[in-house]
């Protein structure tokens, strides 16, 4: 049985218990060698190889748990940090390169409303009532709307995209990543409130200063896993005469590693390249005559 004594002195680390961020967080913990076994009936579990307990919570509750110092560290989306108005109380330690999405105003594609200003004074349904309220509050003010003429922001807990088709809303404010959900509902985006991604957060006023070294260690480990997911190692051979162009294409993080080959006219180059750029870089290396271009994924790194 898990009790307060078992948790005493441990760093409490909040992880989304379900939803879009959950699986990615488990991959991150595994990559950082944070070992645990979770009993499916319990939302708290002890980490075997560190003085840490994991606390599985709804992503939307994590900013307030961290901000109030009830847990020491957490992972959640920047959108829910802003929505819970906790940005003054939490420090974003590290962006995590997943959970990327945009909070957007959406309206029926074929409808009469084609700009956010045209929604002012009408009905907007959302799970982000604070952010939508602030956004339309500013527009109401700009357009001089007051009292019951103001934009009507209505909260729903999910399936926001159905609201227009059901006749409950003239527009919605919801998250968009690929846009598939939005298009399937016959909607399109007309304004963006914010971009968001998952972040590692800690309390701005930590209650347990003694846990700071462990927070630094976990942050460094997670940063290594995140960097490994962003970069590949690119190795190739190129004529020495083309080395200037080659190193311009693959400058590396500090500098590329250049090794001599038996053939004195050629060198081997090894360099880290951002994964999202690698196809273009390979095309450009081919154009300058690079050969034997090899790409390696990284499991982990410290850069
Ligand atoms: N389509 C998406 N692509 C990428 N990230 C997303 C996407 N949808 C949501 N997110 C991110 O994941 C977070 C959690 O969203 P999700 O819809 O999974 O919530 P949930 O855990 O089911 O909801 P809740 O617990 O608040 O009811 C969002 O706040 C956002 O930061
Ligand atoms: O642009 P897309 O790639 O289609 O993603 C957007 C959808 O993802 C999120 O919901 P999710 O699927 O996580 O389920 P939920 O509505 O139950 O939160 C969000 O609320 C959108 O509905």
């Amino acid at each position: 049985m898990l009790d307060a004594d078992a948790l005493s002195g441990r760093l409490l680390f909040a992880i989304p218990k379900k939803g879009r961020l959950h699986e990615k967080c488990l991959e991150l913990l595994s990559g950082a060698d944070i070992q645990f076994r979770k009993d499916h009936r319990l939302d708290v579990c002890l980490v075997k190889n560190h003085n840490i307990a994991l606390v599985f919570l709804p992503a939307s509750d994590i900013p307030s748990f961290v901000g109030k110092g009830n847990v020491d560290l957490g992972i959640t989306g920047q959108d829910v940090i802003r929505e819970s108005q906790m940005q003054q109380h939490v420090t974003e330690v590290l962006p995590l390169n997943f959970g990327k999405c945009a909070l957007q105003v959406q309206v029926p594609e074929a409808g009469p409303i084609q700009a956010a200003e045209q929604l002012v004074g009408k009905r907007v349904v959302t799970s982000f009532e604070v952010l939508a309220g602030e956004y339309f509050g500013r527009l109401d003010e700009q357009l001089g709307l007051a009292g019951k003429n103001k934009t009507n922001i209505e909260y729903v807990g999910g399936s926001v995209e159905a609201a227009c088709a059901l006749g409950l809303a003239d527009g919605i404010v919801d998250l968009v990543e690929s846009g598939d959900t939005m298009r399937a509902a016959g909607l399109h985006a007309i304004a963006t409130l914010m971009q968001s991604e998952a972040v590692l957060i800690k309390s701005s006023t930590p209650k347990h200063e003694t846990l700071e070294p462990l927070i630094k260690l976990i942050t460094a480990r997670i940063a290594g896993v995140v960097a490994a997911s962003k970069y590949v190692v690119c190795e190739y051979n190129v004529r020495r005469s083309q080395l200037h162009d080659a190193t311009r294409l693959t400058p590396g993080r500090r500098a590329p590693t250049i090794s001599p080959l038996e053939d004195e006219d050629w060198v081997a180059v090894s360099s880290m390249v951002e994964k999202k750029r690698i196809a273009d870089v390979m095309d450009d290396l081919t154009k300058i005559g690079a050969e034997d271009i090899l790409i390696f994924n990284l499991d982990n790194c410290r850069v």
Side-chain angles (χ1 to χ4, degrees), residues 77-178:
Q78 291 168 315
D79 53 342
V80 292
I81 297 173
R82 293 259 309 270
E83 178 65 18
S84 56
Q85 298 174 292
M86 275 288 154
Q87 58 273 40
Q88 310 296 333
H89 304 281
V90 303
T91 303
E92 292 189 16
V93 183
L94 191 70
L96 298 173
N97 200 36
F98 64 84
K100 291 187 179 178
C101 51
L103 186 63
Q104 296 190 310
V105 181
Q106 303 162 41
V107 291
E109 212 154 5
I113 295 170
Q114 295 303 324
E117 289 73 14
Q118 292 172 273
L119 266 179
V120 167
K122 299 200 161 53
R123 299 163 308 161
V124 174
V125 161
T126 185
S127 306
F128 292 84
E129 54 181 343
V130 170
L131 291 172
E134 283 173 8
Y135 181 81
F136 282 100
R138 277 193 299 273
L139 287 185
D140 284 346
E141 213 168 289
Q142 276 169 25
L143 299 179
L145 267 70
K148 59 181 187 326
N149 292 329
K150 281 183 172 180
T151 312
N152 178 16
I153 309 289
E154 196 145 323
Y155 174 83
V156 293
S159 304
V160 183
E161 285 89 354
C164 292
L166 292 173
L168 302 173
D170 302 294
I172 64 164
V173 171
D174 200 16
L175 298 171
V176 178
E177 185 210 12
S178 63

